[in-house]
């Protein structure tokens, strides 16, 4: 363990090493390339592989392949690259492949302002792929959180056999901060469950008593089947409603029922809070200051930053905001995550505070907008 | 356990019969792949648990459903990067990518191009039936110019892609074209491909009687098979220039390239060991 002063991107790279990353597949894109470059230098020293592929499609598919060869795998990208990756994310969902996708958001749509920030892709991160299921999305706001949540992203992906999106943005990517860096062996690391039956009895999609099947890898003699088609517990294509129902509900439940365990947030000034400023990612740095200003002006304001965006833990969020008079959802987009919270907090007054800024919404501007509603 | 067929031990027999139409050439190709693997496994040059299959989408890619090995049936065009991901972290694996001409030469075109450039240690078997079979007989990049397909009802105006030439130009270690009409030769090519380091590419001319043959006037699978057989010319060490094909000129099959440059995996490992301060 040591204390370092690094950017959010470097913190992600360090976190992935601590979590046991063995294979990084990447394609250059602003503002993520320094994650790639850092790992290209450091990971081979620890016996891992870093390979640049021909595009983001190849990168995510290679990461999925490497995961089926038992290597913890990761790729990192931004909006245009993530848009290319979503078909393979769907593959990772149905084949239950642990893989971590770092999504460093930048200004969009399309090429937008590649070097600047925004939170336009918060819904795409979980809803972007076809099939209508949920991918866990973790959102750091500081370099320290970037490190910690990267480790967590790997652990969640291994435990639930799912892709996990670590959602950062260009501001966090390039902001330096103090980070307690832990080495492999100094953090809690979760490994995927391995089959306890001999190969001839192994069924790759049989969850047994739980919801997550043990996972054998290529080259272990288990005659593994990776199947993108709707499949039964053996991995055999089964175009039948009963099989589709069983598969869909299990894939849905294993994520959604983990919501309480995955729920994570940071809060300030929570005591007696009547005006809650809810945000995530880099914007929560602005809302923290905004809440402080509002407090100094006599409002009972608090700031809450969500570190787990999906699955949405509805009960947890309701409990957290119980008794708060007004909830303001502050984000650097047209008001996207607000839609999620509005549904969860039916009956409460929920106000969207969408402030589009190429960097951070300024705390003053947040305060001005919020005060119009008070 | 009694077996009905000597290759049954390499098949998920509970999944048979295959989903292929009667008269399809793909069963012949699967037989050749399994016999070539059987020879390698029996002679001890391949371990069964180190053989893995990967396929994208299409009738040919569905071949990955039947062999009793580690197998991946992934998304359209992306079997090559999946297989390379496996191979990089488990170099002892012999990864066999099977796909159709649409899967590998069209949607997967960027991946085959760069896999060849890397001389990536994969065996890529591209079944070329000159049509999109699974989706109903649409034009493929391999469809010979002039022929009817359901999306080129006035004749295909495009030139045929020749991956043999691409593979030769970009430096694959082994480039061959076989045909389901000439099975001992095809089996030998696959056997040889399985023993190569670097990228081994085998294009396999195959028959789709239902959605290619029938549409161009061959009423039965035998008619199409016989017609293809007539148009195939077997050559010993043909030149790469001879690999261009058309329906009228016919199809030269044989081994176009056979060399032994270091493959991507061993170079990557050598460079990685430099980072660890090792030799190399």
């Amino acid at each position: 363990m040591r204390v370092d002063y690094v950017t959010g991107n470097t913190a992600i790279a360090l976190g992935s090493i601590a979590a046991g990353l063995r294979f990084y597949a990447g394609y250059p894109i602003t503002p993520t390339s320094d994650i790639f470059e850092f790992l290209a230098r450091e990971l081979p020293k620890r016996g891992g592989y870093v390979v640049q592929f021909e595009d983001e499609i190849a990168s995510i598919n290679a990461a999925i392949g490497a995961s089926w060869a038992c290597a913890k795998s990761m790729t990192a990208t931004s909006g245009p690259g993530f848009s290319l990756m979503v078909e393979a994310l769907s593959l990772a969902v149905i084949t239950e492949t642990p893989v971590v996708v770092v999504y460093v958001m930048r200004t969009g749509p399309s090429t937008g302002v590649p070097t600047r920030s925004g939170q336009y892709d918060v819904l795409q991160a979980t809803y972007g792929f076809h099939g209508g299921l949920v991918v866990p999305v973790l959102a750091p706001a500081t370099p320290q959180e970037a490190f910690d949540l990267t480790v967590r992203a790997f652990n969640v992906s291994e435990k639930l056999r799912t892709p996990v999106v670590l959602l950062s943005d260009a501001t966090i990517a390039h902001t330096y901060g103090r980070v307690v860096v832990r080495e492999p062996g100094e953090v809690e690391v979760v490994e995927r469950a391995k089959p306890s039956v001999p190969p001839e009895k192994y069924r790759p999609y049989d969850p047994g008593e739980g919801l997550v099947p043990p996972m054998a890898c290529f080259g272990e003699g288990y005659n593994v089947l990776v199947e993108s088609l709707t499949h039964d517990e053996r991995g055999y294509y089964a175009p039948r409603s009963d099989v589709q129902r069983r598969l869909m509900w299990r894939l849905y439940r294993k994520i959604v029922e983990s919501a309480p365990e995955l729920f994570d947030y940071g809060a300030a000034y929570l005591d007696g809070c009547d005006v809650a400023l809810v945000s995530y990612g880099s914007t929560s740095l602005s809302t923290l200051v905004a809440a402080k200003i509002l407090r100094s002006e006599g409002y009972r304001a608090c700031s809450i930053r969500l570190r787990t965006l999906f699955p949405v833990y509805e009960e947890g969020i309701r409990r957290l905001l119980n008794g708060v008079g007004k909830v303001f959802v502050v984000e650097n987009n047209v008001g996207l995550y607000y839609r999620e919270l509005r549904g969860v907090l039916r009956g409460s007054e929920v106000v969207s505070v969408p402030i589009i800024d190429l960097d951070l919404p300024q705390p003053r501007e947040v305060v001005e907008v919020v005060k119009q509603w008070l | 356990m009694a077996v009905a067929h000597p290759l049954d031990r390499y098949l998920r027999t509970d999944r048979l019969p295959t989903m292929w139409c009667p008269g399809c050439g793909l069963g012949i190709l699967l037989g050749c792949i399994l016999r070539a693997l059987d020879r390698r496994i029996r002679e001890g040059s391949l371990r069964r648990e180190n053989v893995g299959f990967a396929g994208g989408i299409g009738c040919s890619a569905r071949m990955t459903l039947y062999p009793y090995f580690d197998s991946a049936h992934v998304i359209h065009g992306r079997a090559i990067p999946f297989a390379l991901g496996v191979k990089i972290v488990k170099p002892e694996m012999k990864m066999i990518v099977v796909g159709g001409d649409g899967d590998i030469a069209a949607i997967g075109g960027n991946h085959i191009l760069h896999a060849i450039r890397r001389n990536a240690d994969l065996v890529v078997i591209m079944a070329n039936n000159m049509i999109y079979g699974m989706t109903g007989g649409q034009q493929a990049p391999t469809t010979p110019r002039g022929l009817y397909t359901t999306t080129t009802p006035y004749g295909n105006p495009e030139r045929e892609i020749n991956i043999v030439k691409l593979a030769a130009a970009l430096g694959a270690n082994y480039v061959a074209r076989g045909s389901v009409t000439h099975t001992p030769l095809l089996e030998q090519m696959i056997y040889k491909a399985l023993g190569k380091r670097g990228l081994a590419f085998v294009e396999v001319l195959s028959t789709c009687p239902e959605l290619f043959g029938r549409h161009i006037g061959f009423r039965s699978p035998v008619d199409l098979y016989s017609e293809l057989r007539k148009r195939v010319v077997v050559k010993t060490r043909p030149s790469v220039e001879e690999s261009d094909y058309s329906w009228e000129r016919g199809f030269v099959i044989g081994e176009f390239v056979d060399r032994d440059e270091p493959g991507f995996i061993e170079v990557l490992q050598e460079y990685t060991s430099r980072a660890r301060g090792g030799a190399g």
Side-chain angles (χ1 to χ4, degrees):
Chain A
M1 193 180 86
R2 64 194 164 87
V3 176
D4 209 337
Y5 189 67
V6 297
T7 64
N9 271 356
T10 305
I12 288 171
L14 289 166
S16 69
I17 290 172
L21 178 71
R22 277 197 54 224
F23 179 68
Y24 180 91
Y27 185 83
I29 188 168
T30 302
T32 69
S33 296
D34 43 343
I35 298 175
F36 191 174
E37 289 161 353
F38 185 94
L39 288 171
R41 224 167 35 239
E42 296 303 321
L43 199 59
K45 294 180 191 167
R46 298 161 185 266
Y49 296 99
V50 176
V51 177
Q52 180 167 330
F53 280 83
E54 51 271 23
D55 53 29
E56 287 90 347
I57 301 172
S59 300
I60 178 77
N61 281 284
I64 291 170
S67 183
W68 276 98
C70 267
K72 287 190 183 176
S73 304
M74 182 172 93
T75 184
T77 189
S78 189
F82 191 85
S83 296
L84 292 178
M85 289 183 181
V86 290
E87 187 195 10
L89 265 186
S90 189
L91 171 71
V93 165
I94 199 171
T95 57
E96 303 183 64
T97 309
V99 62
V100 173
V101 179
V102 178
Y103 191 158
V104 186
M105 290 182 286
R106 65 189 214 189
T107 312
S110 192
T111 313
V113 187
T115 54
R116 305 287 282 278
S117 202
Q119 297 182 306
Y120 311 115
D121 309 310
V122 58
L123 298 185
Q124 188 205 17
T126 201
Y127 295 134
F129 65 93
H130 62 289
L133 291 166
V134 181
V135 162
V137 178
L138 312 182
T142 63
Q144 182 68 61
E145 286 186 358
F147 180 92
D148 295 340
L149 293 187
T150 301
V151 175
R152 187 153 205 239
F154 276 94
N155 288 347
V156 171
S157 99
E158 292 285 320
K159 185 174 180 193
L160 298 179
R161 273 187 69 175
T162 180
V164 173
V165 174
L166 183 80
L167 191 69
S168 179
D169 63 51
T171 301
I172 305 160
H174 299 139
T175 301
Y176 277 82
R178 180 183 178 276
V179 177
V180 177
V181 178
R182 291 168 206 279
E183 299 296 322
E186 295 178 342
V187 293
E188 192 207 339
V189 165
V190 177
E191 307 289 346
R192 64 191 74 169
K194 303 290 292 177
S196 54
V197 296
E200 60 278 11
K201 290 199 173 143
Y202 178 58
R203 305 201 311 163
Y205 303 95
D206 184 349
E209 298 295 304
L211 291 169
V212 184
M215 185 172 174
C217 298
F218 271 51
E220 294 180 337
Y222 276 82
N223 300 307
V224 164
L225 276 178
V226 181
E227 183 53 85
S228 63
L229 290 159
T230 289
H231 47 262
D232 62 17
E233 286 70 15
R234 296 170 300 174
Y236 286 14
Y237 177 42
R240 301 202 316 261
S241 289
D242 62 321
V243 174
Q244 179 69 9
R245 275 191 191 182
R246 204 158 70 226
L247 181 64
M248 281 298 283
W249 286 119
R250 183 170 66 73
L251 294 178
Y252 178 77
R253 284 180 57 206
K254 76 172 181 178
I255 305 298
V256 170
E257 290 180 10
S258 301
E261 192 189 325
L262 297 184
F263 189 50
D264 186 20
Y265 65 92
Y269 316 119
L270 210 48
D271 277 353
C273 178
D274 192 45
V275 178
L277 309 186
V278 179
S279 61
Y280 52 89
S282 62
T283 298
S284 51
L285 305 174
S286 303
T287 51
L288 179 62
V289 179
K292 199 171 175 182
I293 295 170
L294 285 166
R295 279 263 161 183
S296 72
E297 295 179 2
Y299 298 98
R300 287 188 293 144
C302 63
S303 153
I304 291 167
R305 75 161 168 261
L306 299 173
R307 287 193 280 251
T308 305
L309 298 180
F310 296 97
V312 177
Y313 180 34
E314 302 192 3
E315 217 181 295
I317 288 172
R318 276 196 288 269
R319 210 177 303 136
L320 183 62
L321 294 166
N322 187 29
V324 173
K326 281 196 174 75
V327 176
F328 293 87
V329 184
V330 188
E331 44 193 335
N332 191 349
N333 54 38
V334 295
L336 300 171
Y337 199 72
Y338 158 73
R339 298 176 197 168
E340 295 287 331
L341 293 181
R342 184 182 54 185
V344 172
L345 297 169
R346 281 183 306 273
S348 307
E349 195 166 350
V350 186
V351 182
S352 178
V353 184
I355 298 176
I356 290 172
D357 196 299
L358 290 179
D359 299 308
L360 284 176
Q362 292 302 304
R364 244 323 136 192
E365 193 176 355
V366 176
V367 168
E368 293 313 315
V369 176
V370 168
K371 275 161 77 174
Q372 291 171 17
W373 295 84
L374 296 176
Chain B
M1 191 177 70
V3 289
H5 189 278
L7 294 177
D8 275 0
R9 65 179 171 280
Y10 299 119
L11 284 165
R12 298 178 191 270
T13 50
D14 57 345
R15 302 193 83 169
L16 301 179
T18 67
M19 48 76 69
W20 298 314
C21 303
C24 176
L26 291 171
I28 301 172
L29 171 58
L30 177 57
C32 288
I33 294 173
L34 294 182
R35 282 193 295 277
L37 274 173
D38 183 46
R39 275 173 67 192
R40 287 274 168 204
I41 291 167
R42 279 171 188 273
E43 74 187 17
S45 58
L46 259 186
R47 289 164 61 92
R48 182 174 181 160
E49 63 269 29
N50 290 343
V51 175
F53 281 85
I57 297 299
C59 294
S60 310
R62 287 263 179 120
M63 198 168 287
T64 54
L65 272 61
Y66 306 112
Y68 196 39
F69 295 90
D70 291 327
S71 247
H73 179 232
V74 294
I75 54 178
H76 200 16
R78 318 302 170 201
I80 286 175
F82 179 96
L84 192 48
V86 173
K87 180 73 183 174
I88 289 166
V89 300
K90 273 208 174 160
E92 67 273 25
M93 292 298 292
K94 177 63 72 177
M95 292 302 296
I96 304 166
V97 174
V98 187
D101 37 311
D103 202 32
I104 288 179
I107 192 168
N110 202 26
H111 309 308
I112 184 68
L113 191 155
H114 288 279
I116 297 164
R117 173 183 64 82
R118 293 183 180 103
N119 206 12
D121 303 67
L122 302 170
V123 176
V124 180
I125 299 173
M126 183 183 89
N128 179 4
N129 58 13
M130 298 169 244
I131 203 77
Y132 277 66
M134 182 167 271
T135 47
Q138 296 85 6
Q139 174 215 40
T142 47
T143 304
R145 183 182 266 180
L147 294 189
Y148 170 91
T149 75
T150 58
T151 47
T152 57
Y154 306 109
N156 174 25
E158 299 192 17
R159 290 196 296 189
E160 322 76 14
I161 196 168
N162 179 358
I163 304 284
V164 163
K165 216 171 193 174
L166 180 87
L170 293 179
N173 264 359
Y174 184 72
V175 184
R177 180 186 286 146
S179 171
V180 297
T181 55
H182 295 72
T183 51
L185 179 59
L186 177 57
E187 183 189 319
Q188 182 57 25
M189 287 169 175
I190 296 168
Y191 172 82
K192 199 155 170 184
L194 288 168
K196 298 295 292 185
R197 61 177 178 171
L199 192 123
F201 177 79
V202 183
E203 176 178 346
V204 182
L205 300 172
S206 184
T207 54
C208 177
E210 195 57 28
L211 293 155
F212 179 70
R214 214 161 43 82
H215 287 173
I216 59 169
F218 302 102
R219 294 184 62 85
S220 83
V222 175
D223 290 346
L224 177 64
Y225 187 89
S226 306
E227 189 64 30
L228 180 64
R229 195 177 165 83
K230 258 196 310 211
R231 289 170 193 264
V232 164
V233 181
V234 184
K235 288 205 171 175
T236 308
R237 293 315 300 270
S239 76
V240 172
E241 294 311 311
E242 293 175 279
S243 63
D244 282 337
Y245 68 76
S246 75
W247 191 247
E248 291 74 29
R249 195 162 63 234
F251 307 84
V252 171
I253 66 170
E255 293 178 325
F256 294 94
V257 174
D258 186 2
R259 54 191 161 202
D260 191 34
E261 301 292 320
F264 172 59
I265 298 297
E266 59 185 286
V267 179
L268 177 68
Q269 289 195 314
E270 184 195 323
Y271 284 33
T272 300
S273 77
R274 282 184 196 170
R276 285 190 253 182

